[in-house]
């Protein structure tokens, strides 16, 4: 009988992203707040039994070889766990690609999680060690709960208190942004710490105080993106006309998202955005 392993792979937004330092090796140190968005997800299915690693995907243009993080995660797991791979992997993508929503990282983490839950070869710590080799955001997706991240985004402090569900709307303008471009074009004068802001943000999240959360949201990477891609500003302005609280770019873009006061506000905002930008994917969390 053929065995299938399957998992939904959630997207994320960064409610806060401060670049605190540029390292000599070119990487950036961050203080960021990852918030998982399971309402926007891919589905990953691994069929066991066919020799080798094969990958298929519903979206044309997504690489199906070692350029795909899924493929690299599978190969890394095989070598770390000393297993001969026999995995036929299908990726059903709904998370827009190169969109600042962490799609590839989430898919890669799902491969590590699913294979390890089946073969039970590595500890969680070992899995995390391999995850960061695939990408700075991958460790977060091994256990995707709201978390503050430091280092290059890989040192995680899960937020201990149960925080409220945040109504929000996400809209993707259907053009990709490479994370490399966003970091290369970050203005040097923005780099630095923001003492005390994360503490205030965590307090506001615990109170469920949407206005304060929105007031504290920040993304160092978005300024260069708004300059380079005027469409992002048009989307932001349109969201503001429909009671969006603080439209902002997620991660390195190109997705713009905004918190809303209530689920009903989020539904109304999503409807307005679908009407104004019928060609763009709009996601609602209510
Ligand atoms: P992040 O928010 O972590 O910076 P992102 O959401 O902006 O990432 P991804 O969707 O992960 O970006 O894709 C970035 C690049 O990686 C794309 O150019 C794509 O070709 C490649 N890629 C590799 N693996 C995947 C995957 N599983 N899904 C989508 N893109 C992938």
């Amino acid at each position: 009988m053929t065995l299938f392993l399957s998992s939904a792979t959630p997207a994320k937004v960064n409610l806060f992203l401060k670049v605190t330092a540029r390292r000599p090796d070119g990487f950036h140190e961050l203080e960021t707040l990852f918030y998982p968005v399971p309402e926007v997800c891919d589905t990953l299915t691994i069929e066991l039994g066919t020799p080798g690693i094969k990958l298929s995907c519903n979206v044309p243009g997504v690489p199906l070889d070692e350029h795909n993080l899924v493929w690299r995660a599978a190969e890394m797991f095989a070598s770390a766990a000393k297993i001969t791979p026999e995995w036929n992997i299908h990726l059903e993508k709904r998370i827009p690609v190169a969109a600042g929503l962490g799609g590839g990282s989430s898919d890669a983490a799902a491969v590590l999680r699913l294979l390890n839950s089946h073969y039970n070869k590595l500890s969680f710590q070992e899995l995390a060690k391999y995850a960061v080799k695939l990408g700075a955001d991958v460790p977060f997706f091994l256990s995707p709960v709201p978390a503050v991240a430091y280092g290059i985004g890989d040192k995680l402090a899960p937020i201990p208190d149960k925080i409220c569900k945040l109504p929000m709307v996400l809209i993707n303008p259907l053009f990709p942004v490479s994370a490399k471009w966003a970091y290369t074009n970050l203005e040097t004068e923005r780099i630095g710490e923001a003492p005390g802001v994360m503490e205030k943000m965590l307090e506001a999240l615990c109170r469920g105080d949407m206005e304060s959360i929105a007031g504290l949201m920040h993304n160092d990477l978005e300024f260069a993106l708004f300059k380079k891609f005027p469409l992002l500003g048009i989307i932001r302005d349109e969201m503001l006309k429909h009671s969006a609280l603080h439209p902002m770019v997620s991660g390195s873009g190109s997705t713009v998202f905004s918190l809303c006061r209530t689920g009903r506000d989020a539904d109304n905002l999503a409807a307005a955005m679908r009407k104004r930008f019928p060609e763009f994917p709009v996601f609602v969390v209510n």
Side-chain angles (χ1 to χ4, degrees):
M1 198 180 65
T2 313
L3 190 60
F4 290 91
L5 313 171
S6 186
S7 173
T9 75
K12 59 82 184 163
V13 291
N14 301 78
L15 295 179
F16 183 82
L17 193 164
K18 190 83 201 71
V19 180
T20 53
R22 191 173 264 153
R23 301 196 323 198
D25 62 4
F27 281 95
H28 292 80
E29 298 272 336
L30 306 179
E31 184 185 31
T32 190
L33 203 163
F34 286 124
Y35 185 84
V37 186
E39 291 79 359
V40 185
C41 67
D42 298 339
T43 306
L44 189 104
T45 307
I46 306 176
E47 179 189 350
L48 286 90
T50 322
I53 301 171
K54 288 189 192 63
L55 179 59
S56 58
C57 181
N58 64 322
V59 173
V62 170
L64 301 175
D65 53 13
E66 72 278 9
H67 298 292
N68 196 306
L69 282 174
V70 163
W71 200 95
R72 284 173 45 208
E75 196 188 41
M76 188 175 271
F77 184 84
S79 131
K82 301 188 174 51
I83 286 171
T84 306
E86 41 172 35
W87 306 317
N88 201 349
I89 307 175
H90 182 69
L91 181 57
E92 196 68 20
K93 279 211 81 76
R94 284 177 295 271
I95 305 176
V97 175
L101 299 176
S105 303
S106 187
D107 298 338
V111 171
L112 295 179
R113 266 193 288 113
L114 279 175
L115 290 175
N116 202 44
S117 67
H118 179 71
Y119 295 98
N120 201 15
K121 290 280 185 184
L122 305 176
S123 68
F124 187 82
Q125 284 72 19
E126 285 172 308
L127 224 48
K129 193 183 78 189
Y130 288 108
V132 73
K133 291 187 189 171
L134 293 164
D137 292 356
V138 182
F140 161 72
F141 286 109
L142 284 178
S143 172
V145 295
V148 179
Y150 303 97
I152 56 168
D154 59 319
K155 296 196 174 39
L156 295 162
I159 299 173
D161 298 278
K162 206 165 162 36
I163 60 173
C164 61
K165 179 112 185 152
L166 304 177
M168 67 174 81
V169 171
L170 301 86
I171 176 163
N172 181 262
L174 286 182
F175 64 82
V177 174
S178 92
K180 189 162 180 254
W181 187 93
Y183 279 97
T184 308
N185 287 278
L186 164 71
E187 300 93 341
T188 311
E189 63 275 14
R190 297 206 178 274
I191 301 175
E193 314 242 335
V197 180
M198 189 64 88
E199 285 71 20
K200 285 192 190 127
M201 176 64 108
L202 296 179
E203 284 162 20
L205 280 166
C206 291
R207 292 198 307 275
D209 177 350
M210 301 303 291
E211 310 274 343
S212 299
I213 299 165
L216 293 161
M217 282 167 59
H218 176 82
N219 180 359
D220 271 341
L221 300 176
E222 74 173 357
F223 302 93
L225 292 165
F226 278 121
K227 265 191 219 156
K228 168 87 175 164
F229 304 107
L231 177 56
L232 297 179
I234 294 170
I235 291 174
R236 177 181 56 188
D237 294 346
E238 191 65 26
M239 286 182 124
L240 285 169
K241 285 188 207 157
H242 298 278
S243 50
L245 278 179
H246 181 167
M248 197 173 88
V249 172
S250 179
S252 53
S254 56
T255 302
V256 180
F257 75 104
S258 181
L259 296 195
C260 298
R261 284 177 192 82
T262 63
R264 178 174 292 198
D265 276 4
D267 285 335
N268 291 339
L269 175 59
M273 298 310 282
R274 286 187 182 118
K275 195 164 170 212
R276 174 71 176 79
F277 302 105
E279 67 277 31
F280 296 158
V282 173
F283 305 96
V284 59
V285 177
N286 50 13

